[in-house]
Structures are given as C-alpha cells and as structure tokens.
Amino acid sequence: MIAVGMLGLIIGVIIATLVLNVSLPEEWAAYLSLAALAGLDTAFGGWRASLEGRFHADVFISGFIVNALLAALLAYLGDRIGVDLFLAAVVTLGGRMFLNLSLIRRYYLNQFALRRQRG
Amino acid sequence: MSENRLYQKLVFFSIWLVIGLLLGLAFKEQTRIRTAELPSARLPELARAYVQEKQSNAALEEEIRQLRQRINELETAFASGAKQAELLSQSLQEAKMIAGLLEVEGPGIELILRDSARKPSGESLEQLLPELYTIHDYDLLRVVNELRQAGAEAISINGQRIVATTGIRCTGPVVYVNDVKMASPFVIHAIGDPKTLIGALEMPGGVLSDIKSVDPKMVQLKALDKVRIPAYSGSTQFRYARPVSAQEVKP
C-alpha cells in the first residue's frame, strides 16, 4: 500500500518539476504550498486508516479535496482581512500529521514486537 | 475483496500522485521566488561595480602617466618656444571635444524609446496609470545619466548633442532637448564601450528594466560599430559667468 503511495509521490514530483512548465503568479505560491500540506495530511490520515483497516475511498478522496480547498480558502480569507489565518491551517494540519505519523509508527512497532514474540 | 483492494491502491496512488504534483509545484515556485529575489538582483550589480572600479583605476593611472608626459612636453615646448602654437591648437581641439563642439564618431549604442502602442482598456493598469505608457523627460534623464556613468563620451537624442548645459524637460506632450521640441520615438546615440553601456542600461532594477516591465516593446537597444554624433549647434555664449583671476587661467 505504502509502496504504491510513494511511487505516486515520486512520479508526481517528477512530473511537476520536469514535465509541467507552468509559472503561477507569486501570490498563489503560498496557497499552493498550503494545499500541498493539506493533501499530505489527508494522505497520512489515509495511511493510518488503511493500517487500522477502516479505509474508505470516498472519505479519503473527499477529505483530500475539501481539506486542500479549505486550507487555501482560509489563507486567502486571512490575506483579505489581514489576519494570518493560514497559521491556523498550518498548526492544525501539522499537529494532525504528527499524530497520524506517531500512530503509524506505533502500529509498525507493535507488528515488529508481535513477530519477534512468535518467532 | 481483491477487487476492493485494487481500487484502494488505485485511489491511494492517484492521491499521492496529486500530492507529489502539488509539492513539486510549490517547491519549484518557492525556489523561483527565492532566486528571483536575492542573488540574481544583487550579484550582477556588484560585479558590474567591481569591474567598473577596476577599469576606472586603470584609466586613472593611465591619465596620470599622460599628464606627467604632458608636463614634460610643455616644459620642453616653453624651452623651444616654436611648438607652442601647435600645442595651443591641440589643447583647443581637446577643449572643443570635451565641450561637444566637434562632430565625433566611434563604437557605441543605439537606443530607441517609444511610447507604448497598447490601448488603455477597462480597469487595467493602463487606465489607472496612463503616464507609465509614455516616455518622459525623467526616463531620458535617467538614460543619459546612466550612459555618462558608464563612460559614454558623446551622447545625442534625436540628433541633439547632449552637452554640459543641455536641459531635458517635458512640456505638454513634447520634450525639449537643447530647446528643440521632440516627441516619441526618441533615438539615443552614445559613443563608448558598447558592452559597458548596454550592461549599465540593462542593469536589474535600472531604467530600462523599469520601462520594460510596463511594455517591452517600448525599448530597442543595439550595439553599433560606428556611431556618428553631431556637434552641439546651440548658443555657447556666457552672459553671467566669468572666469576667475585671468592670470591663473593662462596656459
């Protein structure tokens, strides 16, 4: 599962850096980064869910799209009203990513311990 | 079950693919912004300043050497007396050259500045700031200043020689240079090292980059092997200024 994800990530980065030749306006750069962050968060969430055996593709996809859009929208709104709202998105998404990663780590550690007990 | 598993994998793959795309784009964008901001804007400027400083040092040393030689020449000329008239006419030629009273030619550049052909439309920048789209006296002044700084030895705008007393001034829709009316396009000729002159004009953040950022078609710049610049044809009368202590001015 994860190998598939990593393959997708690598191909995506390669396409973005080598094949795609779009230059976005500078103001969009911050929103783009934020959308990428939101996507990363959802992906880690999906990884964790798949490990726990409760992965639902529809939740995953909708979460990905809505989170990315919401994060970008929040940042835009923050820009308009002069409040650094993107910080809220960064803190929330960053915190959740750490949480998900720690759960993923624990899952693999458990697996490892179980295998050693049996072995 | 296995079909469901495959579907999951496909979804996972495509989502990570999109994340990769976003990350890659964001990464590229940030790199671009960073490189556009700092080093590329500063480095050429500093490099140019360094090279110019070095060149001007060498030129000054050469000048010292020539001046010493000149002193020797003058001393021997005074001793002989015969060569005096010749030396006088030579220094008169030099003074005329400096004052811009002689037609000169040499390697240099041709710069054409013209008003933008774009028509103002809607809520655009053109309508808000229409003056950005025409060439003004300050554009010409900045160009002339930059050319002089880069060591241009003679400059003309639309055939009008730029001398020490030249004024460049907008009056309504026209620009006066040496009290001669002119309008876009402005053809500016300058004699000097073409590379240095072009480098000075195209410096990041300099006058041409400012004009080009509005409309690149307003600027046409090229190096020429031979530029001919006419002599100053206006009045050279001094009505108020007088040289101080005539005895000291004697050669």
Side-chain angles (χ1 to χ4, degrees):
Chain A
M1 194 79 163
I2 267 333
V4 173
M6 286 303 132
L7 189 71
L9 182 72
I10 290 163
I11 293 175
V13 171
I14 288 171
I15 292 176
T17 47
L18 299 181
V19 183
L20 274 181
N21 197 15
V22 288
S23 69
L24 293 158
E26 255 173 53
E27 306 85 65
W28 286 29
Y31 306 143
L32 189 69
S33 302
L34 211 58
L37 195 66
L40 213 56
D41 166 62
T42 314
F44 283 134
W47 187 357
R48 176 192 158 193
S50 78
L51 291 180
E52 290 172 356
R54 47 189 186 84
F55 178 85
H56 295 293
D58 44 357
V59 175
F60 188 52
I61 294 172
S62 66
F64 175 78
I65 295 170
V66 171
N67 275 356
L69 285 180
L70 206 63
L73 200 74
L74 216 62
Y76 176 75
L77 189 71
D79 265 2
R80 290 290 113 180
I81 61 174
V83 182
D84 288 342
L85 266 180
F86 75 91
L87 281 176
V90 170
V91 170
T92 312
L93 296 174
R96 207 156 62 192
M97 261 193 278
F98 272 107
L99 183 71
N100 280 335
L101 277 173
S102 76
L103 287 171
I104 291 165
R105 178 170 47 84
R106 249 168 242 192
Y107 174 84
Y108 281 114
L109 279 176
N110 271 342
Q111 291 271 317
F112 187 63
L114 275 176
R115 210 170 296 162
R116 271 183 61 174
Q117 270 179 9
R118 278 184 207 144
Chain B
M1 182 63 195
S2 85
E3 199 175 303
N4 193 27
R5 194 96 183 123
L6 189 75
Y7 175 61
Q8 278 192 9
K9 270 187 180 166
L10 197 72
V11 168
F12 219 67
F13 175 79
S14 45
I15 291 289
W16 276 101
L17 185 81
V18 175
I19 291 168
L21 274 174
L22 285 173
L23 276 178
L25 275 178
F27 184 75
K28 212 164 71 169
E29 205 61 22
Q30 294 294 341
T31 317
R32 194 174 64 82
I33 290 169
R34 216 160 294 152
T35 49
E37 264 172 5
L38 274 166
S40 69
R42 275 302 281 161
L43 267 182
E45 201 181 321
L46 290 173
R48 199 174 69 81
Y50 171 67
V51 169
Q52 261 188 6
E53 207 63 35
K54 225 165 94 175
Q55 281 174 349
S56 84
N57 259 359
L60 283 172
E61 272 163 25
E62 174 69 17
E63 206 180 320
I64 290 171
R65 205 183 56 75
Q66 279 178 355
L67 282 171
R68 288 219 177 101
Q69 204 182 337
R70 189 76 201 272
I71 290 170
N72 281 341
E73 271 175 31
L74 282 171
E75 278 169 358
T76 49
F78 270 120
S80 69
K83 273 178 86 183
Q84 208 170 352
E86 193 190 323
L87 275 169
L88 260 178
S89 88
Q90 199 187 323
S91 68
L92 180 65
Q93 287 288 306
E94 270 174 32
K96 275 182 148 181
M97 189 94 164
I98 293 166
L101 298 175
L102 294 177
E103 186 174 16
V104 288
E105 69 176 16
I109 56 134
E110 182 183 79
L111 169 66
I112 302 176
L113 296 176
R114 61 179 86 241
D115 294 346
S116 175
R118 281 203 222 150
K119 289 274 176 287
S121 59
E123 277 278 302
S124 59
L125 195 64
E126 286 97 325
Q127 219 176 30
L128 297 170
L129 291 169
E131 67 264 28
L132 283 180
Y133 287 75
T134 50
I135 301 294
H136 291 267
D137 48 359
Y138 45 77
D139 294 318
L140 298 175
L141 281 166
R142 281 181 74 191
V143 166
V144 168
N145 195 36
E146 201 65 63
L147 286 172
R148 281 181 166 158
Q149 194 64 41
E153 290 168 1
I155 305 168
S156 73
I157 300 178
N158 284 1
Q160 279 300 313
R161 180 71 172 266
I162 306 297
V163 295
T165 52
T166 296
I168 299 175
R169 179 77 168 83
C170 266
T171 308
V174 295
V175 177
Y176 280 89
V177 177
N178 284 343
D179 295 328
V180 174
K181 265 193 252 182
M182 51 186 70
S184 164
F186 299 95
V187 182
I188 300 165
H189 286 115
I191 293 178
D193 176 28
K195 257 187 175 168
T196 315
L197 297 181
I198 288 176
L201 289 172
E202 289 190 331
M203 182 175 69
V207 50
L208 289 193
S209 80
D210 281 359
I211 301 175
K212 274 182 184 166
S213 70
V214 177
D215 182 0
K217 281 185 190 152
M218 291 165 80
V219 177
Q220 249 177 290
L221 177 61
K222 65 179 174 200
L224 292 176
D225 292 336
K226 207 182 217 182
V227 182
R228 210 185 182 107
I229 292 183
Y232 175 63
S233 54
S235 158
T236 52
Q237 292 287 317
F238 285 91
R239 283 169 60 198
Y240 303 105
R242 294 275 176 274
V244 179
S245 86
Q247 286 92 338
E248 282 173 25
V249 177
K250 264 187 189 167

